[in-house]
Amino acid sequence: MLHPEKLDPIERRDLPESATRAIHYLAAEIAVTVGATPEIAATLSHPVLLRHIDAKYGRLPDVVHEAMRPPTTAAGVAVISRLPVVEDALGPTPFNWEEAAAWAGDRARRSTSLELDIALLLLARCAGEPFGWQGQQAGRLVNNILPTPGHEHEQSGASSTTLLSPHTEDAFHPGRANLLMLGCLRNPDRVATTVSSIRQVELDAAQWKLLRTARLPILPDISYGDGFDDSTAPPVPTVGADPDGPTLRFDPAYTPLNRADDQFRCAYQHLAGELERVSRTTALAPGELLLVDNDVVVHGRVPFTPRYDGTDRWLKRVNIRLPQRRRAVGESAEDGYGQRVVAPFSTTRGQHP
């Protein structure tokens, strides 16, 4: 039997201070050059900004590029430390992502949020191809994850007082991220992120076989809106096969398990229990970045009580595509519920909906 204390530890990749300074100076240089305007900050996909990111990320030290490689252990996650975050320069935690995006383009607020957005895009570009979603946070390439009044009990990044169930990011879509970056700006209450890897669970042969069959659909989460119909949605496998080991596509909060037979539900629930058994928690500190292999790992968040006083937890999220990775051929037939990617760095535009 596996036991959490005997599992591969979460990788830690500590950047030297010289690398932190290099990230900070390059992001600040780009921010000054393009200007902290609402137009630039709105989606971060302005052509001028993108040209600077693409032309200059290669100037970062080799140690930064090395730190941004995909996680290498079965745990499927790595914590990268010493990002250029100065909490006192952030300003208060916004009340919602719209406010966060607006403040990033407001020079009067003197917030460093836009510089941090640019820094995260530089790091994401070192790893692969950062992208956003037209239907989520208005297509912004760097999402703001913070507790939002009225959304406390949702299964979304805006929630707080409820457990955010372990899930594959954007499991419903064939163009979902290969890597997910979660960068911590503020976390005074040490709210923990949970992570679990499919490569550390134990299932019997019958369970593996059942979970590799396409039985149920996965619907878009509430951040994309509501009203998605599961009656005509295509079923997808929960577990996939890969030369390096099994992959995972898992989001029980948005999977209509009541439509499955008892045998499949039993296998699915066993998988959920195994993912809970091998779950780890990591409470990110300001300046730490969690790099998650989204093809292998599910992540969630423990409940917490928001204060809405400007001091609450504030993360930034970036989706990253690895063009060298290929997913199951059958996924190419999925329409992703019409959700479109914003992929300005993509070398294979049009591959996914």
Side-chain angles (χ1 to χ4, degrees):
M1 291 287 289
L2 291 171
H3 298 281
E5 65 271 15
K6 296 181 180 179
L7 300 175
D8 289 341
I10 292 177
E11 285 185 84
R12 292 203 65 93
R13 302 171 181 175
D14 297 328
L15 293 173
E17 290 185 10
S18 58
T20 301
R21 288 194 299 269
I23 297 167
H24 170 72
Y25 291 147
L26 185 55
E29 173 191 314
I30 294 173
V32 169
T33 302
V34 301
T37 67
E39 184 182 14
I40 293 289
T43 65
L44 300 173
S45 56
H46 192 284
V48 175
L49 174 60
L50 297 177
R51 283 198 297 271
H52 281 279
I53 297 291
D54 227 16
K56 295 178 179 178
Y57 78 93
R59 287 167 40 183
L60 291 173
D62 290 344
V63 67
V64 176
H65 290 264
E66 177 68 12
M68 294 309 300
R69 72 193 188 283
T72 58
T73 71
V77 293
V79 175
I80 302 163
S81 67
R82 294 189 182 147
L83 301 184
V85 173
V86 179
E87 256 197 287
D88 292 343
L90 287 176
T93 300
F95 286 111
N96 52 53
W97 71 262
E98 294 98 336
E99 196 169 58
W103 289 2
D106 185 349
R107 295 182 182 181
R109 288 188 174 273
R110 301 181 63 83
S111 170
T112 62
S113 182
L114 180 61
E115 287 184 17
L116 289 167
D117 288 338
I118 293 171
L120 288 172
L121 283 179
L122 288 165
L123 293 172
R125 193 69 184 97
C126 290
E129 299 173 354
F131 70 90
W133 297 95
Q134 288 181 2
Q136 187 182 69
Q137 297 203 12
R140 209 166 189 271
L141 296 181
V142 179
N143 295 163
N144 288 280
I145 307 301
L146 29 77
T148 301
H151 298 261
E152 290 84 355
H153 303 291
E154 287 181 356
Q155 284 296 307
S156 77
S159 68
S160 52
T161 57
T162 194
L163 173 74
L164 183 60
S165 300
H167 61 283
T168 303
E169 189 73 7
D170 301 313
F172 73 93
H173 203 285
R176 64 195 177 279
N178 300 115
L179 296 179
L180 184 69
M181 275 175 39
L182 293 172
C184 181
L185 276 59
R186 178 175 286 137
N187 191 12
D189 302 309
R190 302 291 291 167
V191 178
T193 300
T194 64
V195 290
S196 305
S197 171
I198 184 64
R199 294 181 179 170
Q200 296 180 319
V201 306
E202 292 184 344
L203 303 172
D204 63 32
Q207 290 165 337
W208 283 116
K209 184 176 180 180
L210 277 170
L211 294 170
R212 287 190 176 112
T213 62
R215 295 291 183 92
L216 296 173
I218 303 175
L219 301 177
D221 69 63
I222 194 66
S223 67
Y224 292 91
D226 53 21
F228 295 102
D229 184 7
D230 68 0
S231 63
T232 59
V236 300
T238 303
V239 174
D242 185 88
D244 296 324
T247 58
L248 185 60
R249 197 171 175 182
F250 183 84
D251 195 348
Y254 293 95
T255 300
L257 289 168
N258 61 310
R259 287 175 41 187
D261 57 57
D262 291 343
Q263 194 175 22
F264 182 86
R265 280 202 303 271
C266 183
Y268 195 97
Q269 289 164 0
H270 183 83
L271 171 61
E274 280 291 289
L275 290 169
E276 181 178 358
R277 182 178 65 82
V278 302
S279 178
R280 317 288 189 82
T281 60
T282 178
L284 295 175
E288 288 186 331
L289 184 153
L290 185 66
L291 189 62
V292 178
D293 188 329
N294 195 49
D295 291 324
V296 175
V297 172
V298 291
H299 69 283
R301 190 216 61 245
V302 302
F304 68 101
T305 302
R307 289 180 293 272
Y308 301 132
D309 63 355
T311 67
D312 283 321
R313 178 180 185 257
W314 184 4
L315 305 185
K316 286 182 179 282
R317 178 182 64 203
V318 186
N319 294 291
I320 304 170
R321 181 176 176 272
L322 301 178
Q324 69 272 23
R325 282 198 190 175
R326 292 292 180 266
R327 292 205 172 101
V329 174
E331 292 194 19
S332 62
E334 298 177 30
D335 71 356
Y337 300 86
Q339 300 301 315
R340 301 288 172 174
V341 297
V342 178
F345 299 104
S346 177
T347 57
T348 55
R349 289 181 178 83
Q351 179 174 340
H352 296 298

